[in-house]
Amino acid sequence: MNILELLANDYTLRVVALGSAMLGFVSGIVGSFAVLNKQGLLGDAISHASLPGIAIMFLLIQTKSTELFMLGALIAGLTATALINAIVKYSRIKVDSAMALVLSVFFGFGLVLLTYIQKIPNANQAGLEKFIFGQASTLLRRDIYLILIIGLILMSLTIVFWKEFKIVTFDADFADSIGISSKRISYILSSMIVLSIIIGLQSVGVILMSALLVAPGVAARQWTNKLSVMIVLAGTFGTVSGLVGTIISSSMQKMPTGPSIVLVISFIVFVSMILSPSRGILWRYVRQIKHQSDINEDQVLLNLYDLAMNHNNPHHSHNIAAIEPMNTQGGKKLKQLKYILGNLQAKALVKEEQLDGWSITEEGLNYIMKHPMRKEENDVTSN
Amino acid sequence: MSKEVEFVVEVEDMTVAYHVKPVLWDVDLNVPKGVLMAIVGPNGAGKSTLLKAMLNLIKPISGRVLFNGESYETQRKHIGYVPQRGSVDWDFPTTVLDVVLMGRYGHIGWIKRSSSKDKELAMIALKKVAMEDFSNRQISQLSGGQQQRVFLARALVQDADIYFMDEPFQGVDAKTEKAVIEILKELRKRGKTVVVVHHDLQTVKDYFDWVTLINTQLIASGPVEDVFTEDNLRKAYRSTGKILKG
């Protein structure tokens, strides 16, 4: 099946993909600040907490209306945020426990309400459970407009408050000291997180929405050390996962959108964690090995230098057994020592005078003279 | 105190508590203009808390602070602050120059961006702390001493009259310590007032001309030669039973 063809011919899919892409972009941007603020869990708490808001709104109006559901979710999300802040402020419960508490209580209550709703005789309730895992194909044109509008608002806020977001995220105390209220900025940021969760509830669902917030920022951080690049990259990763996830979900029967989007963004995170040149696990490993071998080479060269200093002629050659006695009992270690000496010879720091007889070169001496590990008492210049 | 002395900072009846335990209790403190003052006391004596409460970063239970006889809000632009180096995440994705530019944010105002003039000032400040070659460096690559100098540069671009510094000598190399104290002395020469939370009793006499000893309560405050006495130190460090003065 050709995906491009599918996109070109299927109007519904086009609408839905556009919405998911915008959603991914915005959550990537907003979520980046949450990641840098170490507030990744806040999104999770808020999105879970919005479920009872949706359910209560349905009970009130007895019909399905995305806008009013979003309003219900918004109220529930803000209530949850306020509650978390209040618990932290007025009790000695720490913020992570407060979040876990609010998350589970609200979500549990939401599930109870949903079960109750499914039992009442009202045909309209069908599909309400889609909010748990998300179903992008239920998005209507109107819903997409709403996502676009809120997305644009969130993007503008990011641009307008760029400097303030940056300083409060980096150093809240200093921000306060110069009159940029970290409290006010945090409220704006939290509200932005709530808003981006709200617009994602229908297509990604309450359980997995936080992944779309946090994961793009985490992946983007791997590739750059510049805040602006990180934000744009996070937006891009979000867009890609929104788009691809939606397409996967619509090409498979009964596949909810949330999980498929999360799978795509998880893949991006995984690749970023392994392959990023500066922070990736793979390159760090490679650098470590390189570093280790440099140290080993230095040690061998130092030993050779120490031996040479015991002779009048510094270029006197020494048998391999003298250079590193512990390593010449044969086997792997001997091979390694020969390999290191070979490397040193390639750098012209040592020379093989005869079979297994090695000496330090003029260049090797120069290198050692600048080496911090050299013992002072062997200093030729001080004699 | 005689009336002629001009106090740039006046703290009255300051009491601060985290939950129930008081960290600062009824502290009255006056800082004269143009001094280099150390706040000294044992661990947990409330040194950093005093600094933060003065800057309105912690809400005290009671008490008030006046700067040049006015409230913090109106005097904000004349006040510079160097937080503890360990209080921020140095893995934040930004550069040295960007951090120093943050010192200008209070002058720039909401929403507007830093100008080329701000960048110029930031570079001058970086030069003063001998970090101009690092302006484009990632802050995660800095050593502890370099981090401290960047924070100092950020305070310098604030172009303040009163500076508050929280442990600027904490865990820095000897070279940085010397560079920092040179800058502090230069600030004093220019008529600025500098208040420093300080840990090392042995350097108090060399670095500072004014000292405040606290241990939850104010023990003593005044010129180093009058106040930094064996007797006062014993009072301040009584709870730990250890005199660290060398």
Side-chain angles (χ1 to χ4, degrees):
Chain A
M1 175 179 45
N2 189 330
I3 285 169
L4 284 177
E5 211 170 280
L6 200 75
L7 266 178
N9 293 330
D10 189 333
Y11 170 77
T12 318
L13 183 59
R14 223 161 48 215
V15 169
V16 166
L18 178 67
S20 303
M22 183 67 177
L23 175 66
F25 190 69
V26 177
S27 9
I29 290 175
V30 176
S32 292
F33 286 106
V35 168
L36 291 173
N37 255 331
K38 302 182 181 66
Q39 277 192 327
L41 267 178
L42 183 69
D44 208 22
I46 294 171
S47 65
H48 278 77
S50 57
L51 189 61
I54 296 168
I56 291 173
M57 194 51 91
F58 177 81
L59 284 172
L60 288 176
I61 59 173
Q62 298 285 327
T63 178
K64 261 188 290 195
S65 149
T66 311
E67 290 84 354
L68 286 174
F69 283 171
M70 283 186 180
L71 182 67
L74 179 70
I75 294 168
L78 290 176
T79 311
T81 318
L83 206 58
I84 291 168
N85 288 335
I87 289 175
V88 172
K89 193 171 172 192
Y90 295 111
S91 78
R92 302 194 75 161
I93 296 171
K94 298 276 179 293
V95 65
D96 55 332
S97 308
M99 279 195 240
L101 211 62
V102 169
L103 178 157
S104 42
V105 168
F106 273 62
F107 186 62
F109 183 52
L111 283 181
V112 169
L113 286 177
L114 269 193
T115 318
Y116 169 73
I117 287 169
Q118 274 165 354
K119 284 191 179 135
I120 57 173
N122 181 343
N124 276 328
Q125 40 99 333
L128 214 55
E129 77 286 347
K130 290 260 166 32
F131 278 99
I132 296 178
F133 286 118
Q135 189 48 270
S137 59
T138 61
L139 286 177
L140 304 173
R141 208 192 171 119
R142 277 201 341 220
D143 305 334
I144 305 294
Y145 285 142
L146 204 59
I147 292 177
L148 285 177
I149 290 167
I150 294 183
L152 283 175
I153 293 173
L154 294 181
M155 270 156 60
S156 326
L157 283 174
T158 310
I159 294 169
V160 168
F161 290 116
W162 180 258
K163 174 170 109 267
E164 285 76 16
F165 285 172
K166 186 174 178 176
I167 191 169
V168 167
T169 309
F170 176 61
D171 192 345
D173 271 353
F174 185 76
D176 279 320
S177 85
I178 60 172
I180 295 175
S181 162
S182 64
K183 215 168 161 188
R184 233 174 278 167
I185 292 298
S186 299
Y187 277 140
I188 296 176
L189 269 174
S190 304
S191 312
M192 287 170 69
I193 292 175
V194 173
L195 275 177
S196 46
I197 287 170
I198 301 303
I199 58 174
L201 288 183
Q202 208 175 348
S203 46
V204 188
V206 297
I207 294 187
L208 294 173
M209 186 52 210
S210 66
L212 195 54
L213 269 174
V214 174
V218 170
R221 179 71 187 93
Q222 294 287 314
W223 297 100
T224 177
N225 279 323
K226 208 162 180 281
L227 184 62
S228 50
V229 179
M230 174 182 165
I231 302 280
V232 173
L233 209 54
T236 312
F237 287 157
T239 309
V240 170
S241 45
L243 211 56
V244 177
T246 307
I247 291 168
I248 292 174
S249 146
S250 19
S251 54
M252 271 190 237
Q253 281 226 318
K254 290 209 161 172
M255 171 75 162
T257 328
S260 69
I261 288 180
V262 168
L263 275 185
V264 177
I265 189 63
S266 306
F267 177 72
I268 296 177
V269 170
F270 180 73
V271 169
S272 305
M273 280 174 65
I274 302 280
L275 290 183
S276 131
S278 60
R279 304 168 78 93
I281 293 167
L282 182 69
W283 292 115
R284 201 166 61 203
Y285 184 66
V286 168
R287 269 196 304 273
Q288 230 165 40
I289 291 176
K290 166 89 173 56
H291 193 60
Q292 193 60 50
S293 87
D294 282 352
I295 290 174
N296 288 342
E297 283 177 16
D298 284 3
Q299 189 56 54
V300 169
L301 198 59
L302 271 167
N303 289 351
L304 204 54
Y305 167 81
D306 285 344
L307 289 171
M309 286 308 110
N310 292 332
H311 297 266
N312 289 329
N313 171 18
H315 301 297
H316 183 94
S317 75
H318 293 273
N319 187 271
I320 200 158
I323 297 168
E324 237 175 290
M326 297 305 288
N327 280 357
T328 46
Q329 310 300 318
K332 201 177 155 208
K333 285 197 160 171
L334 178 64
K335 247 191 212 152
Q336 205 181 355
L337 178 59
K338 284 188 176 170
Y339 173 75
I340 291 170
L341 282 165
N343 277 348
L344 287 169
Q345 187 167 30
K347 291 181 190 167
L349 298 175
V350 302
K351 218 165 103 193
E352 186 167 20
E353 304 276 354
Q354 62 222 39
L355 186 66
D356 283 347
W358 295 78
S359 71
I360 191 162
T361 64
E362 204 59 51
E363 269 175 68
L365 279 175
N366 284 337
Y367 177 83
I368 284 295
M369 293 315 284
K370 290 185 219 135
H371 201 281
M373 269 157 68
R374 177 176 56 102
K375 294 193 207 83
E376 281 302 318
E377 63 263 34
N378 283 338
D379 206 331
V380 266
T381 52
S382 67
N383 289 343
Chain B
M1 276 294 151
S2 58
K3 275 265 186 306
E4 307 89 78
V5 186
E6 192 188 342
F7 296 122
V8 286
V9 187
E10 295 163 81
V11 180
E12 283 171 34
D13 306 330
M14 173 81 73
T15 297
V16 179
Y18 296 131
H19 298 293
V20 273
K21 199 169 168 259
V23 183
L24 287 177
W25 194 36
D26 196 26
V27 172
D28 294 289
L29 175 65
N30 292 323
V31 185
K33 187 173 160 53
V35 297
L36 196 47
M37 183 179 101
I39 300 177
V40 175
N43 287 329
K47 304 186 292 286
S48 293
T49 306
L50 176 61
L51 199 76
K52 283 185 176 173
M54 284 159 98
L55 294 174
N56 216 7
L57 298 173
I58 296 176
K59 209 173 171 308
I61 291 176
S62 71
R64 61 174 194 159
V65 187
L66 296 177
F67 298 89
N68 299 319
E70 290 179 50
S71 75
Y72 183 75
E73 276 70 31
T74 58
Q75 292 294 307
R76 182 172 275 143
K77 280 191 180 156
H78 305 292
I79 296 166
Y81 175 43
V82 179
Q84 268 184 37
R85 182 163 57 82
S87 66
V88 303
D89 177 9
W90 288 94
D91 197 32
F92 191 82
T94 194
T95 60
V96 166
L97 182 65
D98 262 356
V99 172
V100 178
L101 275 173
M102 288 179 188
R104 298 298 302 163
Y105 283 11
H107 296 258
I108 296 169
W110 288 77
I111 297 162
K112 276 179 263 166
R113 308 272 144 136
S114 353
S115 64
S116 55
K117 173 91 180 123
D118 293 319
K119 282 189 185 127
E120 228 171 84
L121 289 169
M123 284 311 290
I124 293 170
L126 276 174
K127 198 162 185 175
K128 272 191 191 146
V129 298
M131 288 287 288
E132 73 269 33
D133 295 339
F134 292 78
S135 65
N136 284 317
R137 189 72 71 93
Q138 209 37 61
I139 58 168
S140 56
Q141 296 168 359
L142 301 179
S143 71
Q146 289 168 338
Q147 292 172 353
Q148 193 62 58
R149 282 190 261 168
V150 170
F151 260 20
L152 192 62
R154 183 177 70 174
L156 290 177
V157 298
Q158 288 187 272
D159 196 24
D161 298 320
I162 314 165
Y163 284 94
F164 291 88
M165 306 190 182
D166 204 344
E167 304 256 16
F169 301 110
Q170 177 82 26
V172 302
D173 51 290
K175 195 177 131 210
T176 298
E177 178 152 346
K178 214 170 150 233
V180 171
I181 197 65
E182 284 311 315
I183 286 166
L184 298 195
K185 286 183 172 162
E186 192 209 313
L187 285 172
R188 176 179 54 189
K189 212 181 283 169
R190 281 163 48 202
K192 316 276 183 182
T193 310
V194 186
V195 176
V196 178
V197 170
H198 194 56
H199 222 92
D200 182 11
L201 293 178
Q202 306 191 20
T203 51
V204 169
K205 278 191 171 158
D206 299 335
Y207 291 176
F208 301 95
D209 53 15
W210 206 267
V211 67
T212 293
L213 287 161
I214 61 164
N215 191 350
T216 308
Q217 286 173 285
L218 185 84
I219 307 292
S221 180
V224 170
E225 57 268 28
D226 300 344
V227 167
F228 199 66
T229 59
E230 201 71 46
D231 199 35
N232 280 335
L233 278 170
R234 197 170 295 123
K235 273 189 213 157
Y237 283 81
R238 190 168 37 197
S239 60
T240 60
K242 211 171 170 189
I243 303 275
L244 302 160
K245 194 185 172 195

